[in-house]
Amino acid sequence: MAGLIPQTFIDDLLDRIDIVDVVDARVKLKKTGKNYSACCPFHEEKTPSFTVSPDKQFYYCFGCGASGTALGFVLEHDRLNFPDAVEELAKMAGLEVPREARNDSPRQQERKNLYQLLEKTDQFFRQQLRHSPARQHAVNYLQQRGLSGEIARDFGIGYAPPGWDNLLKAIGLTEEDKHLLAEGGMLIERPEDGRRYDRFRNRIMFPIRDTRGRVIGFGGRVLGDDKPKYLNSPETPVFHKGRELYGLYEARQAYRQLPRLLVVEGYMDVVALAQFDIRYGVATLGTACGEDHLTLAFKYTQEVVFCFDGDEAGRNAAKRALENSLGAMQDGRQVKFLFLPDGEDPDTLVRQVGADKFSNMVELAVPLEDFLFDSVADGIDIQSMEGRARLSKRAAPLLHKLPAGVFRELMFANLAQRTGLPMDTLMELVDTPEEKAPATNTQPASHQGSSQTFQPEAPAEHYHRLPPAQEQPPSYGDHADTSSNGVRREPAARPRAPQSSYRGPIKLPPSKLLCAIVLQHPELIPLTPEIPNIQNSQDPDLTLYVELLTFLKQRPNYSLPRILGHWRGSKGAAASDELAKLATVELLSDARQRAPYNAQQEYLDCLGRIENHLGKQKQRLEMEKLSSKNFNELSESEKQQIRQFYANQPPNRT
């Protein structure tokens, strides 16, 4: 019996082949120095960031982070399983793949036999759709639903004809086969007499595949009046409905890199969307989407969109999906919610509006953060103190389920902004769940513990201060202080800082402040005036700001999580984390303001100051260049520029 491929053979195979030949056969490479480059086959790009090193026999993409050996490349690019990828490389090297003999345990052998029998069952259902005398009813139904032969083939759609023992007679040739059919959920055994009969009768059949493409179960849609309308395979040694997503294997085959997964209710929704070339639809198998489903989904994409009816039942289901999603929300991941018009499902809606409009609806689905805060605020007057207290008590336990990371901090900061409570107070609500948090906070925020000083890395004069709070906590700096009578005094000993967060205004360089403001207020982008000096600046922070400005002009509807997700995907985790830190600083500061904070005025003022400063700096450099020349060699216009420049300078005071 075929066994494992020896590791020594794999090592020898990788030594014999050249990764350049493997990759170049699939992606046209160009010599760049000692390496080769191309546009990455694993994500869309216009400028090549994909590099192949013949010395290291390794590939790496600076855009999406894809990397590996020749074997890894074939696995990902050709979407093969491991043994097939080894076979493919062995063919290139003219080698035969050896196998280590091994004896499977009885349980492993039974699972293998079960997979083989389910594959035969799948072939039987497909043949019945083509050859059964009763097939016309099924064919008419599929045609009425607008399915093409290509889509039916891609999803392996078949037909279980009427009758009690069609499958049993065709495949259950031995007692062992009958046992496996029953074990795989294809037969039902009557307890009173032990007789077996087909589970699926007169139904359109949808094979359920695992991520390796193996058939592990079936779903059937009834064609007559029998109940239930949809019937799934029961739990078996190879099929666990709480861990599988229908259509995931087909979605992975359709895309080199999945843009997202759209979780819908039924098989026909998945298939109908694929008919309109929307091939990222998946369906749960009669259960709510749980943590195991999300863990599986996030292995292959960073964005999951739940699709629900817009009625009360749909929104209740969405809330359950929301709670199940919180534990999976690691940084860089996105969950969104798409609510359909009453009486519509993805199948009917995509036929009405077309693929483009439906895809646009998916793009504009409600982000998790918006749906969460809208849900917990339902029925609450958040303008009142009592309402904000109720909001914090509802939301804080949900946010506590989020895994540690930037997204969790941003969500708590968002809650702080909505409730007016300081971050450390909100964290106390979830860090000590056994204590009942008071409904309202009777003490001013400034008296809830000392605060630590925010220490800038550059001199204070180079920093811009956000709008000051009406009350500021005492600052314990290392600098000497001056008493009211002007006598200099030595700094007092720094008291031990308690476990609390800084709640005062936060200082940022103006260039970083620009980035922070547009991250939290992208709606300000259209108000940006002409800023030629900023756009031509080589300052790294201003370069980042201009990049954000260009990006958000093209994508005005992007929220902060989507911006961070895009940054992580295109520029890597480090760049995304730095961006998130900027956003968090601005959000925390905004949330802690007691005086009204005008973000628009702050943004325009900051732009004006920087643009004016850069303009003066540029003019000064030009004057220094002109002043270094012989005055008599200057043109009249250059002389006039020098006179005007010095005429506008303030007089020196001694």
Side-chain angles (χ1 to χ4, degrees):
M1 180 179 292
L4 297 176
I5 302 172
Q7 183 61 46
T8 54
F9 174 79
I10 296 173
D11 295 339
D12 182 55
L13 178 62
L14 291 176
D15 287 340
R16 287 173 178 250
I17 62 173
D18 187 348
I19 191 173
V20 175
D21 295 334
V22 174
V23 175
D24 193 52
R26 294 161 174 81
V27 180
K28 190 61 181 175
L29 295 175
K30 181 180 180 181
K31 191 84 163 71
T32 51
K34 65 178 182 179
N35 296 326
Y36 293 81
S37 65
C39 287
C40 181
F42 303 116
H43 78 285
E44 294 183 6
E45 63 177 2
K46 295 181 179 179
T47 303
S49 62
F50 181 81
T51 299
V52 178
S53 170
D55 294 339
K56 299 179 181 178
Q57 288 294 298
F58 199 77
Y59 72 89
Y60 182 78
C61 176
F62 293 92
C64 67
S67 62
T69 63
L71 181 56
F73 182 83
V74 173
L75 278 167
E76 293 298 323
H77 184 273
D78 296 2
R79 297 196 287 278
L80 300 175
N81 58 38
F82 186 83
D84 290 342
V86 174
E87 291 278 3
E88 183 68 23
L89 290 180
K91 288 178 185 177
M92 291 184 63
L95 300 175
E96 184 176 347
V97 179
R99 301 279 180 164
E100 292 178 343
R102 69 173 187 180
N103 295 320
D104 292 327
S105 67
R107 183 178 179 184
Q108 289 174 322
Q109 187 59 50
E110 185 181 57
R111 287 172 64 90
K112 282 188 175 182
N113 293 341
L114 199 51
Y115 284 127
Q116 293 172 2
L117 203 67
L118 289 172
E119 190 65 39
K120 290 181 182 178
T121 303
D122 180 41
Q123 294 301 321
F124 170 79
F125 289 142
R126 295 197 200 196
Q127 291 172 4
Q128 293 303 303
L129 184 60
R130 293 193 296 269
H131 303 301
S132 171
R135 72 183 185 280
Q136 199 56 48
H137 191 187
V139 172
N140 291 342
Y141 173 81
L142 294 175
Q143 289 177 344
Q144 289 170 5
R145 301 300 292 262
L147 297 187
S148 66
E150 178 187 0
I151 292 298
R153 179 204 66 207
D154 290 349
F155 284 85
I157 296 175
Y159 174 53
W164 295 94
D165 56 3
N166 293 294
L167 179 65
L168 178 60
K169 287 181 178 179
I171 297 180
L173 303 179
T174 67
E175 195 59 35
E176 176 65 17
D177 290 339
K178 293 176 184 178
H179 168 74
L180 288 173
L181 283 172
E183 190 75 5
M186 306 312 298
L187 299 181
I188 297 176
E189 185 174 315
R190 297 199 305 188
E192 59 270 20
D193 56 12
R195 295 186 61 183
R196 301 182 178 111
Y197 58 92
D198 293 354
R199 180 181 296 274
F200 297 98
R201 305 176 303 278
N202 195 27
R203 290 178 181 269
I204 300 288
M205 298 302 294
F206 301 86
I208 302 166
R209 298 184 174 105
D210 63 11
T211 54
R212 294 172 59 179
R214 299 176 298 189
V215 177
I216 56 176
F218 291 88
R221 201 276 186 196
V222 73
L223 289 172
D225 297 327
D226 294 343
K227 301 293 181 183
K229 184 177 179 181
Y230 288 97
L231 179 65
N232 292 325
S233 292
E235 297 278 316
T236 73
V238 298
F239 175 58
H240 305 281
K241 60 184 178 181
R243 302 177 192 169
E244 304 294 340
L245 289 169
Y246 174 76
L248 178 58
Y249 173 77
E250 289 78 7
R252 291 182 62 212
Q253 296 303 300
Y255 299 93
R256 292 192 185 279
Q257 186 174 4
L258 272 171
R260 65 180 60 85
L261 286 174
L262 177 66
V263 183
V264 296
E265 185 177 359
Y267 319 110
M268 280 307 303
D269 293 326
V270 174
V271 177
L273 290 173
Q275 184 66 56
F276 283 80
D277 206 30
I278 301 173
R279 292 182 174 247
Y280 47 75
V282 295
T284 55
L285 301 165
T287 65
C289 191
E291 291 186 12
D292 287 340
H293 291 123
L294 286 160
T295 299
L296 178 64
F298 281 126
K299 285 183 179 179
Y300 304 105
T301 186
Q302 293 297 298
E303 179 180 328
V304 174
V305 183
F306 291 104
C307 186
F308 293 103
D309 295 338
D311 57 13
E312 184 177 356
R315 289 196 167 266
N316 288 334
K319 290 177 183 178
R320 290 193 294 272
L322 167 68
E323 291 194 30
N324 290 335
S325 301
L326 294 175
M329 289 301 296
Q330 297 177 13
D331 291 344
R333 294 177 176 179
Q334 266 195 294
V335 168
K336 298 195 292 187
F337 297 84
L338 174 63
F339 295 100
L340 304 181
D342 289 346
E344 300 289 353
D345 56 37
D347 182 9
T348 59
L349 188 60
V350 74
R351 297 180 195 282
Q352 291 181 30
V353 303
D356 290 342
K357 287 187 177 180
F358 189 90
S359 298
N360 191 48
M361 292 173 65
V362 175
E363 288 276 357
L364 299 177
V366 180
L368 177 143
E369 60 270 20
D370 292 343
F371 181 57
L372 186 150
F373 286 119
D374 289 346
S375 298
V376 296
D378 188 27
I380 294 178
D381 177 15
I382 60 173
Q383 300 301 318
S384 67
M385 293 177 64
E386 186 272 340
R388 290 195 294 274
R390 289 180 62 196
L391 176 65
S392 64
K393 292 181 70 176
R394 282 187 185 180
L398 293 176
L399 302 191
H400 188 52
K401 296 180 180 180
L402 293 168
V406 174
F407 181 72
R408 186 178 192 269
E409 294 300 316
L410 288 173
M411 289 293 282
F412 270 105
N414 196 322
L415 180 59
Q417 185 181 30
R418 292 168 183 262
T419 61
L421 290 173
M423 279 280 289
D424 53 352
T425 299
L426 292 174
M427 295 304 295
E428 288 169 5
L429 293 179
V430 296
D431 287 340
T432 55
E434 69 279 3
E435 297 180 7
K436 295 293 184 181
T440 56
N441 191 355
T442 58
Q443 291 187 353
S446 59
H447 299 299
Q448 294 178 8
S450 303
S451 299
Q452 298 174 352
T453 303
F454 181 85
Q455 296 291 345
E457 296 179 1
E461 60 267 21
H462 294 299
Y463 284 76
H464 169 74
R465 180 183 284 272
L466 289 176
Q470 292 176 359
E471 298 178 22
Q472 298 184 18
S475 174
Y476 299 103
D478 288 330
H479 55 276
D481 196 6
T482 304
S483 65
S484 57
N485 60 8
V487 179
R488 180 181 176 84
R489 64 187 180 204
E490 293 302 315
R494 181 188 300 271
R496 182 168 181 171
Q499 297 297 319
S500 61
S501 306
Y502 175 77
R503 290 195 298 274
I506 296 176
K507 301 172 182 178
L508 279 179
S511 52
K512 288 185 182 293
L513 179 65
L514 279 181
C515 299
I517 291 177
V518 297
L519 284 169
Q520 282 300 325
H521 302 281
E523 71 276 7
L524 299 177
I525 293 296
L527 304 178
T528 306
E530 294 293 325
I531 46 172
N533 294 323
I534 292 177
Q535 289 178 327
N536 293 327
S537 173
Q538 300 300 312
D539 179 84
D541 292 329
L542 292 179
T543 301
L544 174 61
Y545 163 73
V546 172
E547 194 172 0
L548 282 169
L549 181 68
T550 304
F551 177 77
L552 291 172
K553 280 182 178 179
Q554 297 171 348
R555 299 167 177 82
N557 296 319
Y558 266 38
S559 62
L560 177 58
R562 294 184 70 185
I563 298 170
L564 296 179
H566 175 89
W567 232 251
R568 179 174 291 267
S570 61
K571 302 180 185 300
S576 175
D577 291 345
E578 286 301 314
L579 211 60
K581 289 177 184 177
L582 279 176
T584 307
V585 168
E586 200 278 336
L587 182 60
L588 293 178
S589 183
D590 186 15
R592 294 164 187 169
Q593 297 306 313
R594 310 227 185 147
Y597 173 42
N598 189 328
Q600 176 179 330
Q601 190 62 48
E602 189 74 39
Y603 176 60
L604 295 177
D605 286 351
C606 191
L607 276 176
R609 284 193 297 274
I610 297 176
E611 184 71 12
N612 185 48
H613 172 75
L614 292 176
K616 290 181 177 178
Q617 190 178 60
K618 179 182 176 182
Q619 188 181 33
R620 188 178 299 109
L621 291 174
E622 290 175 349
M623 290 304 104
E624 289 176 359
K625 185 177 179 181
L626 290 176
S627 299
S628 65
K629 297 181 180 180
N630 189 315
F631 189 78
N632 295 326
E633 296 177 356
L634 298 176
S635 66
E636 193 57 40
S637 62
E638 290 174 333
K639 293 177 181 178
Q640 186 60 32
Q641 286 181 41
I642 294 177
R643 295 188 191 101
Q644 181 126 20
F645 174 76
Y646 286 107
N648 293 332
Q649 297 303 303
N652 291 328
R653 294 182 179 179
T654 57

